[in-house]
Amino acid sequence: MTNILEYLEHSVNRVPDKVAFADETVGLTFRQTYDAARAVGSFLAAEGLYKQPVVVFKKKHPTTLVSFFGIMYSGNYYVPLDDEMPHHRIDLILKTLRPSAMICDADTAPLVKDFDYSGKVYIYDDICNRPVDEETLHSIRQRQLDTDPIYIVFTSGSTGVPKGVTA
């Protein structure tokens, strides 16, 4: 069985210049996705984050997916939030998770102050081109288990209170 990071690595080896993710304004190749994700992963690992939830609070964009991959490379798991969610829902999710890190874009970073959040905020554009630490990423991959979570998605359930579902 191939995990999601292995799928990305196989794809970058086979078709590095093929568009992996795109929206109406930008397309990212498998090579660009791979390189940026490993830079994000290296940065988060250097920050001492491991096996923790990392919130991705960004507008819908291909780089959001790169953030997800980067978080997985760092041995953490991602929690997607978007600025179209109701404010009270985001607050409840943040209170439930108590994450120590959040990746934002230039549009969403200023909104973080409106929430009960005391962790670090990283701007995607500031961390996606950092140097890749091959040794650290290799070490993290060696320790990963097939039962490690990849992400948590919050559902409302019948009560309207967000509940995290891990995958």
Side-chain angles (χ1 to χ4, degrees), residues 24-40:
E24 50 288 330
T25 62
V26 69
L28 297 175
T29 65
F30 280 104
R31 170 60 63 192
Q32 290 169 317
T33 300
Y34 173 80
D35 290 345
R38 292 170 53 78
V40 170

Side-chain angles (χ1 to χ4, degrees), residues 86-157:
H87 184 280
H88 70 280
R89 180 173 172 75
I90 293 173
D91 241 355
L92 284 171
I93 291 170
L94 292 174
K95 286 177 186 172
T96 299
L97 276 178
R98 299 185 195 282
S100 56
M102 183 183 299
I103 298 175
C104 295
D105 55 35
D107 294 325
T108 57
L111 304 175
V112 175
K113 67 179 175 15
D114 297 333
F115 302 109
D116 184 13
Y117 175 70
S118 59
K120 291 186 178 182
V121 174
Y122 303 111
I123 308 298
Y124 175 82
D125 287 339
D126 294 341
I127 65 174
C128 69
N129 292 310
R130 297 288 179 101
V132 173
D133 184 338
E134 297 288 347
E135 186 177 320
T136 296
L137 294 183
H138 178 75
S139 173
I140 290 168
R141 285 292 285 281
Q142 294 300 307
R143 291 177 284 162
Q144 287 177 325
L145 303 173
D146 60 354
T147 56
D148 287 343
I150 295 174
Y151 65 90
I152 297 177
V153 173
F154 279 81
T155 64
S156 296

Side-chain angles (χ1 to χ4, degrees), residues 5 32 44 47 56 65 71 101 120 124 133 146 149 155 165:
L5 295 178
Q32 290 169 317
L44 294 173
E47 290 291 296
V56 177
L65 297 164
I71 291 164
K120 291 186 178 182
Y124 175 82
D133 184 338
D146 60 354
T155 64
V165 177

Side-chain angles (χ1 to χ4, degrees), residues 1-12 14 21 30 33-34 37 65-74 76-78 141 144-146 148-151 167:
M1 177 186 275
T2 301
N3 74 33
I4 191 72
L5 295 178
E6 289 169 342
Y7 174 80
L8 175 61
E9 292 158 358
H10 292 306
S11 297
V12 80
R14 282 189 0 268
F21 304 107
F30 280 104
T33 300
Y34 173 80
L65 297 164
V66 175
S67 299
F68 297 163
F69 279 109
I71 291 164
M72 288 184 277
Y73 269 116
S74 71
N76 294 290
Y77 46 97
Y78 66 88
R141 285 292 285 281
Q144 287 177 325
L145 303 173
D146 60 354
D148 287 343
I150 295 174
Y151 65 90

Side-chain angles (χ1 to χ4, degrees), residues 42-68:
S42 295
F43 175 83
L44 294 173
E47 290 291 296
L49 298 167
Y50 184 65
K51 293 198 178 210
Q52 295 182 43
V54 177
V55 170
V56 177
F57 183 49
K58 296 179 62 176
K59 293 197 175 282
K60 292 177 179 138
H61 190 271
T63 61
T64 301
L65 297 164
V66 175
S67 299
F68 297 163

